[in-house]
Amino acid sequence: AQKVTQAQTEISVVEKEDVTLDCVYETRDTTYYLFWYKQPPSGELVFLIRRNSFDEQNEISGRYSWNFQKSTSSFNFTITASQVVDSAVYFCALPTSGTYKYIFGTGTRLKVLA
Amino acid sequence: DAGVIQSPRHEVTEMGQEVTLRCKPISGHNSLFWYRQTMMRGLELLIYFNNNVPIDDSGMPEDRFSAKMPNASFSTLKIQPSEPRDSAVYFCASSLLGTPYQPQHFGDGTRLSIL
């Protein structure tokens, strides 16, 4: 069965600290994709990144970076120099094999304190 | 480009009333998804359509829920009769299927409260 685990329920950091959000997944597929979404306090779900299983290079976008490691089945998300606007719930998601249904993790609530 | 548009943003109604939620997907997207989000159960996929045809409705909780997609630019999710336990945020998302696992783009959601 496929599964996504976000063990960190809530994280609080002080502004300008770096923070890493963990995502561990289970799948038997040899080819798969992983996604990260952000849900700010306003409630909408915002797509952040898609990564396929063929590409284990780290991805960096501004203060955001993603570390994909197939050996540990992890797709972790790091925010460098966090800001108050980064406060949100972050979800990791894995499409189920053969369908377009996402399995979402339970989310990690990040609070960045000024 | 306009994103996924949902209406209404908020709905408060009394138990037993019919509720209709609306969604306009991103133009050109060929798949549409309805989700429900609650604190207890997180994000649940209710149903999804591909080319206006329902593909998987296994997440629809019961017969009180129905969804339609009469054309490529409009979908509704209806609850009749509504119950307090239906209170949740309902999201619509659209995607371009065909190329595997394109991201789903979500609307702002409808916050539904059933009194």
Side-chain angles (χ1 to χ4, degrees):
Chain A
Q2 294 179 272
K3 188 178 179 181
V4 174
T5 302
Q6 294 181 258
Q8 303 153 308
T9 305
E10 185 168 314
I11 302 174
S12 291
V13 298
V14 176
E15 207 170 18
K16 298 184 183 177
E17 286 185 3
D18 299 346
V19 59
T20 295
L21 310 181
D22 298 333
C23 173
V24 174
Y25 61 92
E26 295 177 26
T27 181
R28 293 182 180 177
D29 295 340
T30 54
T31 302
Y32 51 90
Y33 286 77
L34 291 157
F35 294 81
W36 275 95
Y37 283 82
K38 174 183 179 180
Q39 187 172 36
S42 49
E44 71 273 24
L45 276 153
V46 179
F47 164 68
L48 293 178
I49 191 171
R50 178 189 69 170
R51 173 51 59 90
N52 74 58
S53 55
F54 288 105
D55 186 359
E56 289 197 65
Q57 282 189 328
N58 286 347
E59 178 98 10
I60 298 175
S61 176
R63 296 183 297 105
Y64 294 174
S65 63
W66 289 268
N67 179 263
F68 178 36
Q69 291 192 340
K70 288 178 74 171
S71 60
T72 56
S73 297
S74 65
F75 185 38
N76 296 336
F77 173 29
T78 297
I79 302 174
T80 302
S82 59
Q83 300 176 3
V84 172
V85 294
D86 296 326
S87 296
V89 181
Y90 292 87
F91 292 94
C92 183
L94 169 71
T96 54
S97 57
T99 76
Y100 296 97
K101 298 166 69 168
Y102 282 16
I103 298 172
F104 280 93
T106 51
T108 296
R109 182 179 299 276
L110 174 65
K111 293 185 177 179
V112 181
L113 308 172
Chain B
D1 287 342
V4 175
I5 299 173
Q6 291 187 245
S7 64
R9 288 296 310 275
H10 303 273
E11 175 88 13
V12 180
T13 191
E14 292 190 348
M15 181 175 64
Q17 297 297 307
E18 178 178 290
V19 173
T20 299
L21 310 181
R22 297 173 175 80
C23 176
K24 177 180 170 56
I26 292 172
S27 177
H29 281 187
N30 59 3
S31 65
L32 184 140
F33 305 79
W34 281 102
Y35 288 87
R36 179 171 67 176
Q37 186 179 35
T38 60
M39 290 294 292
M40 291 295 294
R41 300 174 69 92
L43 274 161
E44 303 174 272
L45 177 65
L46 301 177
I47 185 171
Y48 80 92
F49 296 82
N50 188 23
N51 293 322
N52 312 338
V53 176
I55 303 300
D56 185 342
D57 65 355
S58 59
M60 295 286 263
E62 48 198 273
D63 292 346
R64 298 184 297 106
F65 285 69
S66 62
K68 293 182 179 180
M69 192 164 187
N71 57 62
S73 58
F74 183 66
S75 176
T76 59
L77 177 68
K78 189 173 291 188
I79 308 172
Q80 166 63 21
S82 57
E83 297 182 2
R85 59 192 169 122
D86 302 329
S87 298
V89 179
Y90 290 81
F91 287 100
C92 175
S94 72
S95 180
L96 184 62
L97 296 187
T99 307
Y101 306 125
Q102 289 295 316
Q104 296 179 18
H105 297 273
F106 286 76
D108 289 343
T110 295
R111 185 172 296 274
L112 177 64
S113 296
I114 308 297
L115 306 177

